[in-house]
Amino acid sequence: MRLRALRDHPDAFSSAYEDEGVEPLDFFARRIGTAPSGTFGGFIDGILAGITSLNVPDKLKMRHRAELAGIYVAPEHRRSGVARPMVEAAIAAARDAGVVSLRLTVNTRNVRAEQFYRSLGFRSYGVDRRMALIDGIYHDATMMGLELD
Ligand SMILES: CC(C)(COP(=O)(O)OP(=O)(O)OC[C@H]1O[C@@H](n2cnc3c(N)ncnc32)[C@H](O)[C@@H]1OP(=O)(O)O)[C@@H](O)C(=O)NCCC(=O)NCCS
């Protein structure tokens, strides 16, 4: 599912299919992670419909601030309502781990995703210019944050 996300939405992620497509299965197994960091699945009738990664830094001074990344719902499961509880589960896990501040970035052209994050309480705090270079075109990213305390 991770590779499908990268392949089908090159504009939506800072990681490239070309980089991760050559990785062995073990690479993706490691991404599932060990709490508090890890990948959360959104399931419909036991079928994996979406994924979200939570990255909590190990460093003592940075552990209060985590990042959500790689948020993806397979096209056939969009508008099904799986996206919200999946991301909310990652937010709850962050809160349980003592995280007080969550961050994510979203391509400024990705109105749908940005709207979704806004509806979860995220607010934009700036624009990261030229965050990615994809097929010769620079993409800006909106930086969004959610305070949990
Ligand atoms: C972003 C993504 C995960 C959202 O999942 P989804 O199943 O499409 O989302 P939902 O249909 O449950 O909608 C969730 C919210 O998004 C917003 N939204 C959905 N479709 C929208 C649209 N066409 N325009 C504007 N906002 C929209 C709404 O706020 C909606 O809340 P609501 O259901 O209360 O109206 C999914 O579209 C996706 O995987 N997109 C491709 C990859 C991607 O862009 N990932 C984000 C990288 S930062």
Side-chain angles (χ1 to χ4, degrees), residues 36 54-67 94-95 97-103 146-149:
L54 171 68
N55 301 316
V56 183
D58 291 330
K59 290 185 172 182
L60 186 62
K61 294 181 185 174
M62 301 296 288
R63 272 180 212 163
H64 65 289
R65 218 173 81 153
E67 181 202 23
R95 190 181 273 114
V99 169
V100 293
S101 202
L102 267 177
R103 296 282 189 272
L146 174 67
E147 303 308 308
L148 301 179
D149 55 353

Side-chain angles (χ1 to χ4, degrees), residues 9 12-13 71-74 77-84 105-107 110-113 115-117 119:
H9 300 279
F13 304 103
I71 299 170
Y72 173 73
V73 169
H77 296 299
R78 289 195 192 140
R79 285 246 162 256
S80 70
V82 76
R84 189 173 301 275
T105 57
V106 54
N107 191 316
N110 196 344
V111 177
R112 180 177 189 155
Q115 196 56 41
F116 174 44
Y117 302 141
S119 75

Side-chain angles (χ1 to χ4, degrees), residues 1-32:
M1 184 156 287
R2 168 74 175 166
L3 288 180
R4 201 176 162 197
L6 299 184
R7 186 194 60 204
D8 295 350
H9 300 279
D11 296 0
F13 304 103
S14 54
S15 301
Y17 177 81
E18 291 78 358
D19 286 330
E20 291 193 15
V22 297
E23 295 287 355
L25 195 56
D26 188 49
F27 171 87
F28 300 97
R30 280 199 305 273
R31 278 185 66 88
I32 293 174

